[in-house]
Amino acid sequence: MGKRRGFFAELNYQAQQTEKRRRQQEAAARRAHLAAQRQAERASKAYEREQAAAARASAVEKKAAEREAARLHVESRLAEVESMNANLAGDLADIDGLLAWALEMDDYVDLESLKISVVEHPPFAPGRLADPAPAVPKPDDVPEPVYEEPPAPGGLSAMLGGKKRHQQAVEKARTAFADAHHHWERARGAAHSSYVKKVAQRDKSEEKRVAELSAAEEKYKQECEKREAKASDHNAEVAKLINGLAFDVESAIQEYVGIVLSNSLYPEVFPIEHNHVFSLASRELSLEVSVPEPSSMSSVKAYRYVKAKDEITSTKLPVREKKERYANAVWQVAVRCLHEVFEADRAGKVHSIALAVGVDTVDTATGRPTTVPLVFVAAERETFNSFDLTKVVPQDTLGHLGAAMSKSPFDLLPADTSRGVRVRGH
């Protein structure tokens, strides 16, 4: 069966909501882990401080400081072990609670919530283009020179050659005035020419800035329109999907199931993948689920600190416990997948599910990729929905449905399907 991920299955809105609820469920375990981690850090820092103190201490104090440093080092290592064990316990609890996780939340997806009601646009940021260039200051007005006639001589001074000297002074004054006025006119003309040139340069710069600002505004407008159009197309696709579901369009039902399955979050220590195909003719969903290989499971039961060797060692999980935990995880995945699809399908589009749970691995005989089937089961909607999954043992539920199950999933023994899987549970 080819892997198919629909357009809406890639959306993460519902997944984020599910993740939020999952994190709430994990909060208690995480708090314990973080507390142990903080204790480890405090003990480690205290140990480092004591080591530094021991190096500085006098010969008399050195032994006591070294003993204290050694004690704190042990505390630091013990806190480290506590943190590791808390983390390990959290991982094992996640695997043991795969079905319980799903039962605590509603898997139904409200497709209307996938519509974009408000398109968010970044603010228009023109930067320097928004700032007009400052006006060119007008040149300072230099006062125009004023001709002042030298005073005429009078009385005795006029008779003693004063008139001649006055005439010479007048000519000199007129020449000086003419030179000053000429210089004033040139300076005023130069200042005006410079002002006109600067104004022209500013006007040209402003014309360019306004044009660039207009272009930036137009580009921003087009980008906003693209976002609006994209949101509109997205909403049209959602509406099309909703309408397709209402009118039993096969691809729409398959798309909806893909959304539901993409929202099914599993812990990092036990990731899975889904592949599915829906047949409108039979109203049956063929669902394939891939679970991690047994070798990916932790084989550690607990960590402990060996003081004599100053090392952290681990005790191994008994093989039987490893096998039981892995098998139970596989059974939980099978029941959980059936539950998630049937619960999310409130309209009852899917009447039955043919489920296969397997492991993608490498065939040791050929060296080629292969899938080892661990569970085959067929479940009718009406029958399955009558179960109270809060009280079931997943392995017994699968047995009741007539599932073909591996006798040892951990050893990758394939399920026997020779007798078929549609015997009971109808």
Side-chain angles (χ1 to χ4, degrees):
M1 188 187 302
K3 182 178 293 187
R4 182 183 186 280
R5 295 190 185 278
F7 173 75
F8 293 103
E10 298 299 329
L11 298 176
N12 64 3
Y13 174 82
Q14 294 291 339
Q16 290 172 347
Q17 302 305 309
T18 306
E19 175 68 8
K20 185 185 296 183
R21 293 190 290 269
R22 184 175 77 87
R23 288 176 179 174
Q24 290 172 347
Q25 294 167 6
E26 295 178 325
R30 186 182 292 109
R31 282 195 297 270
H33 169 64
L34 291 177
Q37 197 171 43
R38 285 193 295 271
Q39 177 59 31
E41 290 172 355
R42 285 196 295 269
S44 177
K45 288 179 181 178
Y47 167 64
E48 290 172 0
R49 287 196 300 271
E50 289 299 328
Q51 276 193 320
R56 295 191 301 268
S58 66
V60 177
E61 298 170 328
K62 191 171 183 180
K63 280 192 175 182
E66 287 176 348
R67 284 196 299 270
E68 181 62 10
R71 183 185 70 80
L72 291 171
H73 175 65
V74 171
E75 281 191 11
S76 171
R77 298 291 270 168
L78 290 173
E80 184 179 355
V81 167
E82 184 180 354
S83 176
M84 294 171 67
N85 282 329
N87 193 43
L88 177 62
D91 288 346
L92 296 180
D94 285 347
I95 296 172
D96 293 340
L98 292 176
L99 178 59
W101 276 11
L103 298 181
E104 292 179 5
M105 60 192 70
D106 187 354
D107 295 296
Y108 172 73
V109 179
D110 179 8
L111 294 178
E112 287 290 342
S113 69
L114 299 182
K115 289 185 177 179
I116 301 173
S117 57
V118 178
V119 180
E120 296 184 359
H121 301 292
F124 178 58
R128 62 174 183 80
L129 296 178
D131 302 324
V136 178
K138 291 184 178 181
D140 295 333
D141 288 331
V142 178
E144 182 179 0
V146 178
Y147 174 72
E148 294 185 7
E149 183 83 14
L156 183 60
S157 177
M159 290 187 294
L160 297 175
K163 288 184 177 180
K164 185 176 181 181
R165 288 193 298 275
H166 176 257
Q167 184 62 34
Q168 291 173 345
V170 168
E171 290 176 0
K172 187 176 180 180
R174 288 177 177 172
T175 301
F177 169 74
D179 289 343
H181 199 274
H182 178 68
H183 177 73
W184 174 79
E185 286 181 337
R186 287 184 61 187
R188 187 180 68 167
H192 179 71
S193 296
S194 177
Y195 171 72
V196 170
K197 183 177 180 181
K198 289 179 180 179
V199 169
Q201 290 174 341
R202 179 194 178 277
D203 290 345
K204 185 176 180 180
S205 176
E206 274 298 281
E207 184 179 346
K208 180 181 178 183
R209 181 191 69 81
V210 171
E212 290 178 353
L213 178 61
S214 178
E217 289 174 337
E218 181 60 29
K219 181 181 178 183
Y220 175 75
K221 179 182 176 182
Q222 291 175 359
E223 290 172 348
C224 290
E225 289 174 350
K226 286 181 180 179
R227 282 187 286 268
E228 295 282 353
K230 186 176 180 180
S232 180
D233 291 343
H234 170 90
N235 290 343
E237 287 292 326
V238 175
K240 180 181 177 182
L241 176 58
I242 293 173
N243 191 59
L245 279 176
F247 287 94
D248 280 351
V249 176
E250 185 176 78
S251 61
I253 298 172
Q254 173 142 328
E255 183 73 52
Y256 178 74
V257 172
I259 296 172
V260 172
L261 296 176
S262 70
N263 288 342
S264 180
L265 298 179
Y266 280 74
E268 291 183 4
V269 291
F270 204 87
I272 74 162
E273 290 192 1
H274 306 90
N275 294 319
H276 70 285
V277 171
F278 176 73
S279 169
L280 184 62
S282 63
R283 293 278 181 177
E284 181 163 274
L285 178 73
S286 297
L287 177 58
E288 289 184 350
V289 181
S290 174
V291 296
E293 291 190 71
S295 59
S296 69
M297 301 278 287
S298 173
S299 60
V300 177
K301 182 176 183 179
Y303 295 97
R304 68 187 184 92
Y305 173 59
V306 181
K307 184 178 178 181
K309 296 182 179 180
D310 189 27
E311 65 180 20
I312 295 174
T313 62
S314 62
T315 55
K316 300 297 183 182
L317 278 169
V319 174
R320 181 177 178 180
E321 186 174 339
K322 288 169 62 176
K323 289 186 175 183
E324 288 178 352
R325 173 167 280 111
Y326 184 77
N328 188 46
V330 173
W331 313 144
Q332 286 187 80
V333 168
V335 175
R336 172 174 166 168
C337 290
L338 297 173
H339 160 74
E340 287 173 330
V341 173
F342 282 136
E343 181 181 63
D345 179 26
R346 291 182 181 176
K349 305 295 184 179
V350 178
H351 292 178
S352 63
I353 299 175
L355 172 67
V357 179
V359 176
D360 293 329
T361 185
V362 174
D363 189 329
T364 56
T366 65
R368 297 181 61 80
T370 186
T371 298
V372 178
L374 302 178
V375 178
F376 282 108
V377 64
E380 300 294 332
R381 176 187 187 86
E382 207 172 301
T383 299
F384 189 84
N385 284 348
S386 68
F387 299 164
D388 182 353
L389 297 182
T390 62
K391 300 175 182 177
V392 303
V393 174
Q395 184 177 10
D396 294 345
T397 302
L398 295 173
H400 178 76
L401 291 171
M405 295 182 284
S406 167
K407 294 187 181 299
S408 180
F410 189 85
D411 296 317
L412 296 183
L413 295 180
D416 180 12
T417 58
S418 59
R419 65 184 182 85
V421 294
R422 293 184 182 273
V423 180
R424 297 190 298 272
H426 296 275

